[in-house]
Every structure is written in C-alpha cells, then in structure tokens.
Amino acid sequence: MNNSVILILTTLPSTEIANTLSRQVLDAQLAACVTQFAPMHSRYFWQGKFEDTEEIMLLFKTTAEIAPALKEWIARHHPYQIPEILSWSTSANSAYAQWVVAATQTLAT
C-alpha cells in the first residue's frame, strides 16, 4: 500500500469563501479532508504596492491521482486573479492514507 498523501494549500480572503470552497471540494470528493486555519496575515507586494492582508488558509488532503483535478478546480473557483496553490507529497500512516484513498475513491474510479 502506498502511504503517500498529497497536501494542497491555498489562501482565501474570508472565512465565508473558505467555508464554501472547502465544502464544494468535499462534496465533489476531490479531497478527503480540508483543514482551515484561523485568520492569518500575509504580507507581499502586489502590482507595485505593499499589501498586509488577513487571509484564511486551507490545507487539502488528497491522492496523487486526484491532485491535478483538485488544483485545476481551485484555480477555476478561486476569487484571486493569481491564486496561491502549493502542493507537496508526504507520507502518512497507513490507516490515514487508506482513508484518504477511500474518501476520494468515487472520483478516482
């Protein structure tokens, strides 16, 4: 059994948008779980101007097979012009990895 789980991270401008996006992803079985982090501050330059914004971070747990579709879905539904979509592979304990596969199984088949 492959114990690999793909983590995908994005940030959003509000709790309401984060709640909606995470529920839609789960309903579509693109991720097994979405962890929402409390408001945080992001600081960056955007179009030549320094920004200091409050954002909500979402961390999606999915499989390698589903990850490309999830990244594409986030890009299409994200309110930002250039959304932050970061992903990486990690190893999980066997039971958790099996649960992630089972939770996204319908889409993968």
Side-chain angles (χ1 to χ4, degrees):
M1 168 78 194
N2 181 351
N3 289 347
S4 178
V5 171
I6 304 300
L7 302 175
I8 298 177
L9 178 145
T10 194
T11 53
L12 295 150
S14 72
T15 300
E16 295 76 24
I17 293 171
N19 290 343
T20 299
L21 195 138
S22 60
R23 180 57 192 251
Q24 291 172 344
V25 164
L26 291 170
D27 286 346
Q29 292 182 290
L30 291 169
C33 176
V34 183
T35 301
Q36 182 170 315
F37 294 88
M40 56 182 212
H41 283 273
S42 293
R43 294 172 183 91
Y44 53 92
F45 282 93
W46 176 248
Q47 299 178 341
K49 181 181 168 198
F50 179 76
E51 300 286 340
D52 185 351
T53 61
E54 186 174 278
E55 293 183 300
I56 305 298
M57 182 187 297
L58 295 180
L59 182 63
F60 303 88
K61 289 83 167 201
T62 194
T63 65
E65 294 78 23
I66 304 296
L70 175 55
K71 289 191 273 187
E72 182 181 310
W73 191 96
I74 293 169
R76 278 196 328 267
H77 293 88
H78 205 288
Y80 291 164
Q81 182 180 359
I82 302 176
E84 173 184 24
I85 303 171
L86 307 175
S87 67
W88 62 98
S89 178
T90 188
S91 63
N93 62 311
S94 182
Y96 189 83
Q98 289 174 2
W99 173 75
V100 170
V101 169
T104 58
Q105 192 64 43
T106 302
L107 191 62
T109 56

